[in-house]
Amino acid sequence: MEIETVGIVGAGQMGNGIAHVFALAGYQVTMNDLSEENLAEAMALIDKNLSRQVSRDKIDETTKTAALARISTTTTLTDLGSSDLIIEAATERETIKNAIFAELQPHLKPTTILTSNTSSISITRLASRTDRPEKFMGFHFMNPVPVMQLVELIRGIATDETTYKTLLNVVERIGKTAASAEDFPAFIVNRILMPMINEAVYTLYEGVGNVRSIDESMKLGANHPMGPLELADFIGLDTCLAIMNVLHDGLADTKYRPCPLLTKYVEAGWLGRKTHRGFYDYRGETPVPTR
């Protein structure tokens, strides 16, 4: 089927980035969030990020204006019901995601494709709670969405071939590259990335190195653009912990046990950049390691 209208649930870090790339690719986008304030902040950020692309000669001012005009916002979730494609990008909690799909369901067109931007939750299980498991997929974008080229496409056990091929075409139209993943905990990227971050936290926890030495070692010794602890702060330590718990619970292997220090930071509310403290303290002019 042809996708022209896209509904996005959630105007946070991921949702506004997804709205940005879809509007830029010519789709009509409706972005939903719980408050007008969140939506206003999201639109301001999209405007800022599009302006950055203009300044770098990646797009022109006319293209920016047209993209912004394609995005509308609403605090009423059911307004998304008439969309051809819905992308859920809400909090990484299964109960919340199930409630969103349940509220949307009576208002959907028969042809609407449902997707979740979940980074780790079972697509098969999410799909089974809806009336269209054959038209349900995992649609996992990387952060920051306008910059990162990969999109993981995850088929649930019931996803049909038409839905999969439709989303492959969508990924191509927005200028990204698709990686097809099977529906196992954390899929591909986070199945590999999160245990590395968790091991870096264990390295800190056991006193093998401090925050700065661990990050510098991986940047200079493995040519990573960002150290694992710096990256954890960027992603959000609560998100890292949630994904490690999904891996640990879903695969029942002790190698995925979340480091107690990661749990401690989350309990303290030190979640990284978004709370201004994590493995680094961001409250000053330059980030300072907290250990």
Side-chain angles (χ1 to χ4, degrees):
M1 70 176 278
E2 195 65 33
I3 303 292
E4 294 300 336
T5 56
V6 180
I8 297 167
V9 184
Q13 198 172 37
M14 298 304 293
N16 72 66
I18 295 167
H20 174 140
V21 298
F22 271 86
L24 206 51
Y27 292 96
Q28 291 296 322
V29 175
T30 306
M31 183 167 53
N32 161 261
D33 205 278
L34 296 172
S35 76
E36 292 286 0
E37 183 183 358
N38 290 350
L39 290 166
E41 287 177 4
M43 289 304 298
L45 187 56
I46 292 169
D47 192 332
K48 178 183 172 183
N49 289 336
L50 285 167
S51 293
R52 185 181 290 123
Q53 288 179 299
V54 171
S55 70
R56 294 175 180 174
D57 294 325
K58 297 196 172 186
I59 61 172
D60 58 29
E61 196 67 44
T62 304
T63 303
K64 173 196 163 180
T65 303
L68 284 171
R70 293 188 195 103
I71 305 173
S72 60
T73 62
T74 180
T75 55
T76 305
L77 179 62
T78 52
D79 286 348
L80 307 187
S82 60
S83 304
D84 299 326
L85 168 66
I86 289 176
I87 304 167
E88 172 274 313
T91 306
E92 190 71 351
R93 285 172 54 193
E94 192 166 345
T95 52
I96 290 173
K97 294 179 187 297
N98 285 334
I100 287 166
F101 291 125
E103 187 176 343
L104 278 169
Q105 194 163 290
H107 304 274
L108 299 175
K109 299 189 299 185
T111 54
T112 298
I113 292 175
L114 293 177
T115 67
S116 176
N117 183 56
T118 178
S119 53
S120 59
I121 297 169
S122 167
I123 298 304
T124 297
R125 197 164 63 238
L126 286 173
S128 72
R129 308 289 201 275
T130 73
D131 65 344
R132 60 194 69 208
E134 72 286 349
K135 287 185 169 60
F136 194 109
M137 279 195 73
F139 207 26
H140 182 216
F141 289 81
M142 306 297 126
N143 184 36
V145 181
V147 175
M148 302 296 279
Q149 288 302 301
L150 186 74
V151 180
E152 284 183 316
L153 288 182
I154 306 102
R155 278 186 274 202
I157 197 169
T159 306
D160 64 27
E161 192 66 17
T162 302
T163 300
Y164 173 67
K165 285 183 175 174
T166 299
L167 289 188
L168 269 180
N169 290 336
V170 169
V171 173
E172 186 177 345
R173 180 171 159 185
I174 63 174
K176 306 285 188 192
T177 300
S180 299
E182 292 301 316
D183 186 23
F184 287 99
F187 320 129
I188 295 172
V189 173
N190 284 321
R191 173 75 177 264
I192 297 166
L193 177 64
M194 286 302 156
M196 183 197 78
I197 287 174
N198 194 52
E199 194 62 31
V201 183
Y202 266 114
T203 306
L204 179 65
Y205 176 62
E206 293 167 5
V208 179
N210 60 28
V211 169
R212 198 176 297 283
S213 65
I214 291 166
D215 277 352
E216 287 299 308
S217 294
M218 293 308 293
K219 284 194 284 187
L220 301 179
N223 208 26
H224 289 191
M226 192 182 287
L229 301 175
E230 184 186 1
L231 179 58
D233 276 357
F234 180 75
I235 293 166
L237 303 193
D238 53 338
T239 301
C240 294
L241 179 60
I243 295 170
M244 287 308 302
N245 281 326
V246 166
L247 281 166
H248 191 233
D249 295 344
L251 297 171
D253 192 323
T254 55
K255 73 180 180 180
Y256 299 115
R257 184 172 68 97
C259 179
L261 184 61
L262 178 60
T263 303
K264 188 69 68 182
Y265 269 69
V266 173
E267 287 174 344
W270 292 17
L271 308 181
R273 285 180 179 268
K274 61 188 173 184
T275 59
H276 308 294
R277 273 196 290 189
F279 292 113
Y280 292 85
D281 189 327
Y282 299 92
R283 292 173 298 174
E285 286 188 17
T286 56
V288 178
T290 52
R291 278 182 175 248

